[in-house]
């Protein structure tokens, strides 16, 4: 069977001591070939996390749209993420789109920078509640996926996280039917964008927890999860990993 990916997204949470404790607990979980585990952490904690995390992957939550070095005060480039050893980076999380006005052009550049630096990009997509109620969910997600066309330059695994905005941090998980339908749509759309020449992994995100994860993992085209709140506590995250 296809390997599942379980990624945590810490968002703007954590402190050094607590991070190290959580990561060292996670590193005790028996490694299984059928599941890859990772955590996206605030960039200031990437280096310390890498020391405690193996075999858990460590990634960044965002990256600059500027590629290498320059007069961009406060920015962290993809080259820097690669330099400290970050293994993946979230691109276009809905909180970035919403609070930092990241649009398709910016995200296409960020995605390209990550690819160029050798840091695996995880493209996050998802519609708002208003968009779903207007019958626009698939159209919105299709538009968010379009930047993958430029990604054909590198024939690597394409990782997409479908996170309906209305399911993030709300406790309102998407229904199995909604997940199945959207994941099938994304699978087919990405294949057509990349001329059927891609290895695709689709993660579901939005209120994933220890209780609902098994049913979600059983859905066709769900290759894992992107977990927010439940990734901050060892018990819930470990249960999700075990269910994968
Ligand atoms: P929650 O799991 O807290 O709903 O967050 C999901 C998310 O945004 C992961 O990126």
């Amino acid at each position: 069977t296809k390997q599942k990916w379980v990624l945590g997204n810490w968002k703007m949470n954590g402190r050094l001591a607590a991070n190290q404790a959580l990561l060292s607990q996670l590193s005790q979980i028996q490694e299984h070939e059928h599941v890859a585990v990772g955590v996206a952490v605030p960039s200031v904690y990437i280096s310390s996390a890498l020391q405690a995390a193996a075999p858990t992957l460590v990634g960044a939550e965002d990256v600059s749209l500027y590629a290498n070095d320059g007069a961009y005060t406060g920015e962290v480039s993809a080259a820097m993420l690669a330099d400290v050893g970050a293994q993946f980076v979230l691109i276009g999380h809905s909180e970035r789109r919403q609070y930092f006005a990241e649009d398709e052009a910016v995200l296409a550049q960020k995605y390209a920078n990550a690819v160029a630096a050798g840091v695996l990009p995880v493209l996050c997509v998802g519609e708002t509640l208003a968009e779903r109620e207007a019958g626009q969910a698939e159209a919105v997600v299709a538009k968010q996926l379009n930047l993958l066309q430029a990604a054909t330059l590198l024939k690597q695994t394409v990782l997409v996280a479908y996170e309906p905005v209305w399911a993030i941090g709300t406790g309102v998980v998407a229904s199995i039917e909604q997940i199945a339908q959207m994941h099938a749509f994304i699978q087919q759309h990405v294949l057509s964008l990349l001329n059927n020449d891609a290895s695709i992994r689709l993660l579901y995100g939005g209120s994933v927890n220890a209780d609902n994860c098994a049913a979600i993992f059983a859905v066709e085209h769900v290759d894992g999860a992107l977990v927010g709140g439940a990734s901050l506590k060892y018990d819930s995250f470990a249960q999700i990993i075990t269910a994968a």
Side-chain angles (χ1 to χ4, degrees), residues 9 11 90 93 95 163 167-171 205-208 226-230:
N9 174 11
K11 309 192 179 185
L90 305 182
H93 190 281
E95 288 148 19
E163 301 199 296
I168 294 177
T170 58
S207 296
V208 174
L226 182 56
V227 184

Side-chain angles (χ1 to χ4, degrees), residues 3-79:
Q3 186 188 42
K4 290 256 194 297
W5 280 55
V6 179
L7 301 181
N9 174 11
W10 288 0
K11 309 192 179 185
M12 198 172 74
N13 293 291
R15 292 292 186 276
L16 213 44
N19 299 348
Q20 301 310 91
L22 174 57
L23 290 168
S24 81
Q25 276 187 300
L26 286 175
S27 71
Q28 314 287 310
I29 298 179
Q30 190 144 15
E31 237 181 305
H32 285 299
E33 272 175 24
H34 69 268
V35 53
V37 179
V39 286
V41 308
S43 60
V44 71
Y45 292 128
I46 291 171
S47 289
S48 58
L50 279 162
Q51 288 167 24
T56 306
L57 305 172
V58 176
E61 300 175 9
D62 181 36
V63 64
S64 178
L65 77 153
Y66 301 104
N68 293 301
D69 299 273
Y72 303 108
T73 302
E75 290 292 275
V76 175
S77 70

